[in-house]
Amino acid sequence: MITSLDSPFEIGALAGDPASLPPAFRAQFLGSPEDGLETHLVGTMDRVWHRHRWLWPVLWTLAKFDTLFPETGRAIPATMTVRNYRDAAGRPTQTWERTFAFGDRVRHFDARITLDPAHGRVIEHTGPGGRLAVPWRMALVNQRLQIDALSVSLRLGRWLVRLPDFCCVRVRAIETADPLRSDQIHIDLSLTHPWLGPIFGYEGTFRAARRPVPA
């Protein structure tokens, strides 16, 4: 049972001296379940895009499970709320609740983040019931954090089955801290299929702030 860590991200690329990290990274990744705060990132997506029109029905279906969506556009208001808690075993866990406002339609792209201490990495859980498990590889260089999805596995009851590469997409997210504004970061995310190339992505700028958890 792991109880000594406050955040799934205290192992790996963000481990070490928190004071040396950009403040916006600390706010997003290193919150504690016990501090009574959650993190809000508020900003605008400069661009939300996807390609291959015939994928629209797939994206429309995934939107039903708050995983990707078919809309595109520019200057899209967006937010992300990061909440910290512990699971039944005492392990630090986060939820990431992303929203994208396409006029009157609001889309969600949500995830749960857990810790894999055996491999020193975090796992993102998405899809129907959070059954898709995606381990991350993270690299931090100065003001830039790169996150790569290594594989995709499907949880079937007690079993975790790794999906073949042709069924999966590769995800890369790059977060860049603004050296002139300590609370601001730029996010660039893209999904690439091994056969189809880049198929979905977004990029935008956000300001991060920690606020008390609503009563």
Side-chain angles (χ1 to χ4, degrees), residues 62 67 111-112 123-135 151-155 160-161 163 168:
L62 291 173
T67 306
R112 179 170 56 91
I123 307 292
E124 178 181 14
H125 304 266
T126 62
R131 290 186 176 89
L132 296 179
V134 183
S151 60
V152 179
S153 296
L154 175 64
R155 182 167 296 281
L160 194 63
V161 180
L163 300 180
C168 305

Side-chain angles (χ1 to χ4, degrees), residues 21-25 142-145 175-182 184-186:
L21 295 175
F25 286 174
N142 298 324
Q143 305 290 312
R144 184 176 182 269
L145 176 66
E175 298 197 11
T176 306
D178 188 333
L180 302 179
R181 300 194 62 165
S182 63
Q184 188 162 285
I185 56 176
H186 183 81

Side-chain angles (χ1 to χ4, degrees), residues 32-33 35-40 82-84 210-215:
S32 166
D35 63 15
L37 301 174
E38 59 190 22
T39 301
H40 294 261
V82 180
R83 296 188 171 92
N84 305 275
R210 305 216 70 206
R211 304 173 185 170
V213 175

Side-chain angles (χ1 to χ4, degrees), residues 7-208:
S7 165
F9 295 96
E10 288 183 298
I11 287 181
L14 300 181
D17 180 14
S20 66
L21 295 175
F25 286 174
R26 293 201 304 269
Q28 180 180 354
F29 296 103
L30 298 181
S32 166
E34 286 72 44
D35 63 15
L37 301 174
E38 59 190 22
T39 301
H40 294 261
L41 288 89
V42 180
T44 301
M45 287 299 176
D46 301 321
R47 182 172 68 121
V48 179
W49 59 271
H50 66 75
R51 62 189 297 264
H52 300 308
R53 291 184 178 181
W54 55 268
L55 285 176
W56 191 93
V58 176
L59 297 173
W60 181 86
T61 301
L62 291 173
K64 300 298 182 180
F65 302 101
D66 294 335
T67 306
L68 305 186
F69 40 82
E71 287 80 12
T72 63
R74 295 183 179 272
I76 305 301
T79 66
M80 183 169 77
T81 301
V82 180
R83 296 188 171 92
N84 305 275
Y85 63 98
R86 296 189 185 278
D87 66 12
R91 294 170 295 199
T93 304
Q94 290 185 353
T95 57
W96 288 14
E97 299 174 3
R98 308 175 182 95
T99 65
F100 302 80
F102 296 92
D104 293 334
R105 181 181 294 277
V106 176
R107 290 297 194 184
H108 300 270
F109 182 12
D110 297 338
R112 179 170 56 91
I113 309 296
T114 63
L115 174 66
D116 177 5
H119 298 91
R121 63 192 182 189
V122 298
I123 307 292
E124 178 181 14
H125 304 266
T126 62
R131 290 186 176 89
L132 296 179
V134 183
W136 287 359
R137 179 176 60 225
M138 305 176 70
L140 176 65
V141 179
N142 298 324
Q143 305 290 312
R144 184 176 182 269
L145 176 66
Q146 180 172 305
I147 301 171
D148 289 291
L150 300 179
S151 60
V152 179
S153 296
L154 175 64
R155 182 167 296 281
L156 300 172
R158 298 174 56 187
W159 302 98
L160 194 63
V161 180
R162 178 169 174 172
L163 300 180
D165 288 345
F166 71 86
C167 293
C168 305
V169 295
R170 295 294 182 183
V171 183
R172 169 166 290 182
I174 297 174
E175 298 197 11
T176 306
D178 188 333
L180 302 179
R181 300 194 62 165
S182 63
D183 63 345
Q184 188 162 285
I185 56 176
H186 183 81
I187 299 175
D188 188 346
L189 177 141
S190 62
L191 279 67
T192 302
H193 187 272
W195 296 348
L196 303 175
I199 60 173
F200 181 93
Y202 54 69
E203 57 180 308
T205 301
F206 295 82
R207 297 181 69 180

